[in-house]
Amino acid sequence: MSASASIFQQGENCWVSSKASYAAPLIDCANYYKALHSSIVKAKHSIFIVGWDIDSRIRLIRGEDEANSEAPSVISELLAWKAEQNPELKIYLLRWDSSLAFFAQREMWAKEVWDENTPDNVETVLDDTIPMGGSQHQKIVIIDDEVVYSGGMDVSTNRWDTRDHPVESEERDGPDGEYGPLHDVQAVYSGPLVKEFAELVRWRWLRVAESNPINFREDAKIKLEDGIPDAWPDDYEPWFENVDCALARTIPFMDEVEPVQEVRNMLLDLINQAERVIYIENQFTSRQEIAEALNKRLKTCPDLNVIVVSSYEPKGRFECEAFWASRIEFKKILFKDIDPDRVIMTYSSITDEQGRSAYKRIHSKVMTIDEKYLVIGSSNLSNRSMTLDTEIDTVYYGNDEHNSAQIARVRDDLLAEHSGRDVEATAVLLKKDNPARALMTGQLAHGYVLTQVNDEIFTDPSSDNLFRSLSDPEEPLIAMPTMDGSSMPVRNPRRRTIMVGLGVLIIAILGGLMFWASQAIPWLSADSINAFLEESRGTYFALPTVLLVYLVGGILFFPVTVLSIAVAAVFGPIWGPIYGILGALLSSATMFGVGKLLGNAGLKKIGGPKVDAVDQKLKSSGIVGVAAIRMLPIAPFSLVNLVAGISSIGLFQFLMGTFLGMFPPMIAKGLVGDSITQIFRNPSPETISYLAGGIILWGLMIWGSQKFARWYQERKQNKAKAEECVA
């Protein structure tokens, strides 16, 4: 085969056509992350990572690889380690500034986390230029301008898995616990193609960042004769050599950038080249145009078989009603007037010898056309991937006998994994007259097997589906008219904008509830509270009544100053402060407990690294810090209690700081407040001396409590240091 025989047409179905000196598929995430770790460790010049997500918590290597590595396994620690080792190394992280729909799945304060945990030569930028409803879906890593990783995988949660996909695995541990088997495909390249990827990621960086990225290396080893570059990952031999490649993109209309639908055009052109076997594995198959093209080609070529592998169980209502309902239509169009032995739409599942079952989640985006073409990319067979998201697919052309055989090897290897066979046996089946039917027969029990999808058990197709219009749109969800009569897509709101908006909304709701309570609840007023306390004065119920008032008042965010003055006025300068501090401590402990529950439920995640920083300061300052906050209140009493519960400070420290910070002011309110009242009623040397004595006592108690708090904190820290030295 000659390179000129390929269908690549720059500006039509691809952005550029080029060559990869070497290329290798990386099947499933354990292989990709291990290879990526190896290349990062070798980096000397620059690292670019562009992704739908770049999660700082991800461990790239596990098991023996992790135990034997001198480099950190967690990606944020690894990049920080590399950046500190080599201050000249430049690292650029470009992550999608995701929409509200993915808040639960991703680090909420990703940029702040990366900025906090890495040196200055690591730059992080969030891409907020995508139209509303779309996403930044390209997944690209470039090491030293010599090695590129691209395909379907992000450095993200719930991605890691090995090729054997065990039913259960302790290593498949995500934010919500263990997740099921997951399959994906990435690829690594070197050679001239790297320069095209480098141009793409720098273009994306310049669109959103305030700084210019480092220039492309003039001495980069990207010529065909340069051999395997230094940053090529250990343990991964190239499959392809000097293979013709094309890059096809999807770019939506954004900020006056002309939209590009090269992926869509390429896939349609590739389907029209098929003669014997089209193999597709894809996360979603919802684009009806693709189904129509496949059906047309099946009718044109009687010997053609189509094999599709995707997922089984939908994740959530949106995925079910958008993509699974659309897949019913896709299958109906694909099978129309076609011999069912020539077409299969399947999922891969297992029931092991212990009777445990699992369905393999397919996240990859792969297509092969006979032994002529191979696609490994980021694009799903969905509406959004063809028009609205940013995508990048690499298309290989079998330009010689070796590379053609490697395309068949990739297909056979993937199908072997999904159907529980070895590669050689799968290759034999693919050469039969009816390879689709052959794959479905003779599968072994207790291993992975292919089964025809039956999506009707989950949902049914709908001609007017709201979920589909939101989850799999072709156009931006919102567009604004411009002066020239056209329209401009509205961007997805920034994460920071969403968080600020949520914060304002929560404060408004709390404020509204407090105002409503003060107006609608007759007994929630200073006069009513005074009257309620008066009835208990002189009875055995005095203290329980005060405690109840503080407890209810704290829950309703009632001002603690009003409560303290009311208690001092009713019970006098001695018992008033005593009852008041006991009530304040009970209220503080209660709201502290509520904060602890809420913090464990996720408020720490919402707060992000800035809250973590405040948390550490509060924890380190301990009693002194709490006492200072109580003496000079900077936030409502109940809010401080909640935040303290979310923080890492201990309950004893918090209550001791609260006591030392609040008791002196309460005594002042009892003595000074009562003295001022008496001066107005009956001015005399006695009442004036009470006032002076109260002010002096207040100052002495503030000074004494601060001294005690500092002494206690220093004693605790010195004890901790002594224990550390002994250890």
Side-chain angles (χ1 to χ4, degrees):
M1 300 181 187
S2 64
S4 61
S6 74
I7 62 168
F8 301 155
Q9 299 179 56
Q10 293 185 180
E12 295 293 333
N13 61 15
C14 65
W15 172 42
V16 291
S17 59
S18 186
K19 275 185 179 288
S21 302
Y22 299 97
L26 300 167
I27 302 173
D28 291 316
C29 204
N31 283 313
Y32 170 45
Y33 283 2
K34 180 180 176 180
L36 180 61
H37 186 275
S38 176
S39 290
I40 291 175
V41 169
K42 296 178 178 183
K44 299 175 181 177
H45 173 264
S46 60
I47 299 172
F48 287 84
I49 303 180
V50 175
W52 182 87
D53 191 14
I54 311 171
D55 194 299
S56 69
R57 302 164 293 182
I58 301 303
R59 285 165 56 223
L60 296 181
I61 51 176
R62 319 283 174 101
E64 290 184 4
D65 293 323
E66 185 175 28
N68 296 332
S69 175
E70 295 181 359
S73 59
V74 176
I75 188 168
S76 56
E77 298 172 8
L78 176 64
L79 292 179
W81 177 75
K82 285 297 298 183
E84 289 166 355
Q85 275 191 335
N86 180 6
E88 300 302 315
L89 178 69
K90 302 298 182 183
I91 301 176
Y92 304 93
L93 309 179
L94 181 60
R95 174 191 185 269
W96 179 41
D97 192 349
S98 62
S99 71
L100 187 61
F102 298 104
F103 264 32
Q105 301 179 29
R106 294 153 55 105
E107 285 184 300
M108 198 157 293
W109 297 92
K111 175 175 169 53
E112 288 81 359
V113 168
W114 280 105
D115 288 346
E116 185 119 349
N117 294 333
T118 54
D120 291 341
N121 51 332
V122 180
E123 295 187 53
T124 305
V125 173
L126 303 181
D127 190 342
D128 65 344
T129 64
I130 312 302
M132 184 173 290
S135 70
Q136 197 308 99
H137 207 239
Q138 296 167 339
K139 302 104 171 23
I140 306 168
V141 179
I142 302 180
I143 309 293
D144 288 348
D145 286 330
E146 293 183 344
V147 170
V148 169
Y149 294 88
S150 182
M153 281 189 258
D154 289 288
V155 181
S156 187
T157 59
N158 293 10
R159 296 287 192 272
W160 189 92
D161 203 0
T162 53
R163 289 214 65 183
D164 58 338
H165 301 290
V167 175
E168 297 177 357
S169 171
E170 293 181 356
E171 288 289 1
R172 290 200 307 253
D173 185 27
D176 300 321
E178 185 177 334
Y179 56 91
L182 187 131
H183 170 77
D184 213 333
V185 179
Q186 197 87 342
V188 56
Y189 313 95
S190 68
L193 189 70
V194 177
K195 191 167 186 178
E196 317 299 347
F197 273 105
E199 181 183 335
L200 176 62
V201 299
R202 284 170 169 85
W203 174 76
R204 292 204 62 86
W205 182 269
L206 287 170
R207 280 180 48 76
V208 294
E210 297 179 358
S211 62
N212 292 324
I214 192 171
N215 291 330
F216 186 85
R217 285 178 64 189
E218 294 182 1
D219 61 342
K221 297 178 181 178
I222 60 170
K223 296 178 182 178
L224 293 175
E225 62 272 17
D226 281 339
I228 297 178
D230 294 340
W232 187 272
D234 294 335
D235 301 328
Y236 294 93
E237 294 295 325
W239 288 32
F240 297 87
E241 294 184 16
N242 296 340
V243 60
D244 290 334
C245 293
L247 297 181
R249 305 165 300 169
T250 298
I251 298 178
F253 179 54
M254 52 183 184
D255 292 350
E256 300 180 358
V257 173
E258 285 298 317
V260 170
Q261 296 183 6
E262 295 155 358
V263 167
R264 169 180 174 268
N265 297 333
M266 176 63 79
L267 294 178
L268 294 174
D269 289 346
L270 288 174
I271 290 168
N272 284 329
Q273 297 296 306
E275 296 175 358
R276 284 204 71 254
V277 177
I278 296 177
Y279 172 61
I280 297 169
E281 61 176 50
N282 206 277
Q283 182 181 8
F284 299 126
T285 53
S286 60
R287 178 79 173 178
Q288 293 187 13
E289 181 184 34
I290 299 296
E292 291 166 355
L294 290 169
N295 180 268
K296 182 179 178 181
R297 190 63 182 173
L298 282 162
K299 291 175 179 176
T300 303
C301 299
D303 294 331
L304 180 62
N305 282 242
V306 174
I307 302 164
V308 181
V309 179
S310 190
S311 299
Y312 177 64
E313 290 182 311
K315 302 288 186 182
R317 185 72 183 276
F318 272 89
E319 188 171 278
C320 180
E321 299 303 330
F323 295 105
W324 262 244
S326 296
R327 195 166 71 178
I328 295 173
E329 287 295 315
F330 187 99
K331 182 180 177 181
K332 181 179 178 181
I333 294 169
L334 175 59
F335 277 75
K336 185 178 181 181
D337 301 325
I338 300 297
D339 180 356
D341 284 344
R342 297 171 56 200
V343 186
I344 54 173
M345 287 190 65
T346 65
Y347 62 90
S348 182
S349 64
I350 186 173
T351 300
D352 66 12
E353 294 179 353
Q354 288 77 43
R356 300 174 302 176
S357 297
Y359 302 99
K360 190 187 299 180
R361 179 81 173 171
I362 303 296
H363 192 265
S364 49
K365 302 92 170 57
V366 174
M367 179 184 289
T368 65
I369 306 296
D370 300 324
E371 290 79 34
K372 293 187 291 186
Y373 294 96
L374 165 65
V375 180
I376 297 178
S378 66
S379 303
N380 291 307
L381 301 185
S382 62
N383 294 328
R384 61 184 311 116
S385 283
M386 301 299 118
T387 61
L388 189 57
D389 295 342
T390 59
E391 305 282 10
I392 184 71
D393 288 357
T394 305
V395 187
Y396 304 66
Y397 173 56
N399 55 320
D400 57 32
E401 188 174 335
H402 170 77
N403 289 326
S404 179
Q406 294 305 99
I407 290 174
R409 179 187 172 190
V410 172
R411 177 197 64 202
D412 299 345
D413 194 319
L414 292 169
L415 276 169
E417 177 190 306
H418 298 319
S419 62
R421 299 181 171 96
D422 59 42
V423 178
E424 291 75 16
T426 305
V428 171
L429 295 177
L430 267 294
K431 289 182 172 64
K432 289 183 177 291
D433 291 338
N434 290 100
R437 182 175 61 188
L439 278 170
M440 300 300 290
T441 58
Q443 299 184 86
L444 299 176
H446 307 312
Y448 274 96
V449 296
L450 292 173
T451 306
Q452 289 269 16
V453 299
N454 179 24
D455 294 325
E456 285 82 359
I457 66 174
F458 299 113
T459 183
D460 56 77
S462 170
S463 58
D464 184 19
N465 192 317
L466 176 63
F467 293 99
R468 188 180 306 173
S469 64
L470 292 175
S471 293
D472 192 25
E474 291 190 71
E475 299 178 352
L477 297 182
I478 300 177
M480 299 295 291
T482 60
M483 297 295 292
D484 61 3
S486 61
S487 60
M488 174 67 70
V490 175
R491 296 180 178 183
N492 280 314
R494 293 182 178 182
R495 170 197 49 83
R496 188 181 298 275
T497 302
I498 294 173
M499 292 306 302
V500 171
L502 286 174
V504 171
L505 178 63
I506 291 171
I507 292 172
I509 291 173
L510 284 175
L513 287 174
M514 292 170 61
F515 178 77
W516 171 83
S518 66
Q519 299 296 313
I521 304 176
W523 50 265
L524 194 60
S525 66
D527 291 340
S528 297
I529 291 172
N530 275 331
F532 184 61
L533 292 171
E534 282 281 2
E535 291 180 8
S536 69
R537 188 170 61 175
T539 70
Y540 291 110
F541 302 104
L543 179 58
T545 300
V546 172
L547 297 178
L548 178 63
V549 166
Y550 269 93
L551 183 62
V552 174
I555 294 172
L556 296 176
F557 277 65
F558 195 80
V560 71
T561 300
V562 175
L563 296 180
S564 300
I565 291 174
V567 170
V570 172
F571 296 101
I574 304 298
W575 290 108
I578 294 174
Y579 287 172
I581 193 63
L582 291 174
L585 292 175
L586 175 64
S587 181
S588 298
T590 302
M591 298 304 289
F592 181 94
V594 173
K596 186 68 69 179
L597 292 174
L598 293 175
N600 293 337
L603 283 182
K604 285 184 179 179
K605 180 180 178 182
I606 295 175
K610 299 301 181 184
V611 165
D612 284 341
V614 174
D615 175 18
Q616 290 304 315
K617 290 178 182 178
L618 185 60
K619 185 179 179 181
S620 62
S621 62
I623 292 174
V624 176
V626 176
I629 291 173
R630 292 308 196 189
M631 289 178 181
L632 299 171
I634 59 174
F637 174 74
S638 295
L639 184 59
V640 171
N641 299 333
L642 278 175
V643 171
I646 295 170
S647 77
S648 303
I649 193 171
L651 177 61
F652 175 77
Q653 283 183 303
F654 178 66
L655 293 181
M656 181 62 74
T658 296
F659 174 81
L660 294 174
M662 292 191 70
F663 197 44
M666 283 192 175
I667 292 175
K669 291 167 189 172
L671 288 175
V672 177
D674 183 70
S675 299
I676 291 175
T677 302
Q678 294 300 324
I679 287 173
F680 277 103
R681 291 180 179 176
N682 181 28
S684 67
E686 184 179 2
T687 56
I688 293 173
S689 64
Y690 272 129
L691 175 61
I695 293 173
I696 292 171
L697 181 58
W698 183 11
L700 288 173
M701 292 197 70
I702 291 175
W703 176 81
S705 63
Q706 285 286 336
K707 292 284 287 184
F708 175 79
R710 286 196 179 92
W711 169 82
Y712 178 87
Q713 194 70 19
E714 289 173 2
R715 178 173 172 268
K716 183 180 178 183
Q717 291 173 351
N718 291 335
K719 182 180 179 182
K721 289 179 181 177
E723 290 176 351
E724 188 176 321
C725 290
V726 171

